[in-house]
Amino acid sequence: AQKVTQAQTEISVVEKEDVTLDCVYETRDTTYYLFWYKQPPSGELVFLIRRNSFDEQNEISGRYSWNFQKSTSSFNFTITASQVVDSAVYFCALSEALGGGSQGNLIFGKGTKLSVKP
Amino acid sequence: GAVVSQHPSWVICKSGTSVKIECRSLDFQATTMFWYRQFPKQSLMLMATSNEGSKATYEQGVEKDKFLINHASLTLSTLTVTSAHPEDSSFYICSARAALGLAASYEQYFGPGTRLTVT
């Protein structure tokens, strides 16, 4: 069975601090995709990143970076020099490869609520 | 590109009435659309998967007679909550996946969501 665990329910930091959001996943597939989404209070999901299981290179996009480690089944997300606008709920998600009964739907973690205080 | 719209963005209805929510892919053809439900301060849970021209596949515990899904065209899927009750109040989000054959086909594009309140 597939599962995504975000153990941190809520995190509160002060502006300019770095913060890492943890994500651990479970899947039996060798081909899968991992995602991070941001959900601000408006509710609309904002896509941040997609990673396939064969690409373990870490990625950096501005203040955001992602650390994918298959050995520990983790896909952690770090925000450097956090800002108030980063306050939101962040979801990690897993999608298995299409076929074999899978429709490729997303399995979401429970989310981590990040509050960045000025 | 890859924009998905939902209509309405919010709706309040009385208990016992039915509500239809539309999900449209505006600039691509979506062979598969997904419907998720999110209760306050909770995660998104998949309700059903719909493929254009065929019956939707519902997740365990989701009543197919209560949540009617129609995916009649490659750009439109609808979710109808029949005989709505207060416990159906939730945030409903759809996502659309483009036609297969491209690496980007694994990408799901989410609509902005519909907040349903049943009084």
Side-chain angles (χ1 to χ4, degrees):
Chain A
Q2 317 87 40
K3 186 178 178 182
V4 176
T5 301
Q6 292 180 257
Q8 304 148 310
T9 307
E10 292 192 40
I11 299 176
S12 181
V13 298
V14 177
E15 209 170 18
K16 297 185 183 177
E17 283 185 21
D18 298 347
V19 58
T20 296
L21 309 182
D22 298 332
C23 174
V24 174
Y25 62 93
E26 293 176 31
T27 178
R28 294 178 187 172
D29 270 18
T30 55
T31 303
Y32 52 89
Y33 297 82
L34 296 165
F35 302 78
W36 275 95
Y37 288 89
K38 175 182 180 179
Q39 188 179 42
S42 65
E44 185 164 357
L45 285 176
V46 178
F47 168 79
L48 296 178
I49 190 172
R50 180 190 69 193
R51 246 316 169 243
N52 74 54
S53 52
F54 299 109
D55 183 0
E56 284 193 74
Q57 278 195 345
N58 291 331
E59 180 152 341
I60 298 174
S61 176
R63 296 184 297 107
Y64 295 169
S65 62
W66 290 269
N67 185 342
F68 176 28
Q69 292 199 349
K70 286 179 76 171
S71 59
T72 55
S73 297
S74 65
F75 187 44
N76 297 338
F77 171 35
T78 298
I79 302 175
T80 303
S82 59
Q83 299 176 2
V84 174
V85 293
D86 295 328
S87 297
V89 179
Y90 290 86
F91 290 99
C92 179
L94 165 72
S95 172
E96 295 186 326
L98 296 173
S102 171
Q103 292 262 28
N105 58 283
L106 291 175
I107 298 145
F108 286 86
K110 292 188 175 182
T112 297
K113 182 178 180 182
L114 174 64
S115 298
V116 182
K117 302 186 187 309
Chain B
V3 177
V4 175
S5 70
Q6 273 185 249
H7 178 81
S9 55
W10 60 270
V11 57
I12 301 172
C13 71
K14 292 188 176 180
S15 190
T17 61
S18 295
V19 174
K20 180 185 282 189
I21 302 170
E22 292 186 350
C23 177
R24 291 181 186 273
S25 56
L26 300 184
D27 48 6
F28 67 99
Q29 293 186 326
T31 50
T32 303
M33 287 187 172
F34 302 91
W35 287 95
Y36 296 85
R37 179 169 54 185
Q38 185 181 30
F39 291 110
K41 297 188 178 182
Q42 294 190 26
S43 187
L44 285 80
M45 298 300 293
L46 179 68
M47 297 176 66
T49 302
S50 73
N51 292 296
E52 186 264 338
S54 61
K55 289 185 178 180
T57 302
Y58 290 81
E59 294 299 299
Q60 196 172 9
V62 178
E63 300 174 59
K64 60 182 179 182
D65 294 329
K66 181 171 183 61
F67 298 99
L68 302 178
I69 291 172
N70 184 283
H71 192 164
S73 78
L74 286 172
T75 58
L76 173 65
S77 177
T78 60
L79 167 67
T80 302
V81 183
T82 62
S83 187
H85 290 286
E87 57 265 30
D88 298 323
S89 299
S90 187
F91 192 53
Y92 292 87
I93 307 175
C94 74
S95 70
R97 188 175 66 214
L100 295 180
L102 304 169
S105 64
Y106 287 99
E107 191 64 66
Q108 288 185 31
Y109 303 98
F110 282 86
T114 297
R115 199 165 299 279
L116 170 64
T117 302
V118 184
T119 61

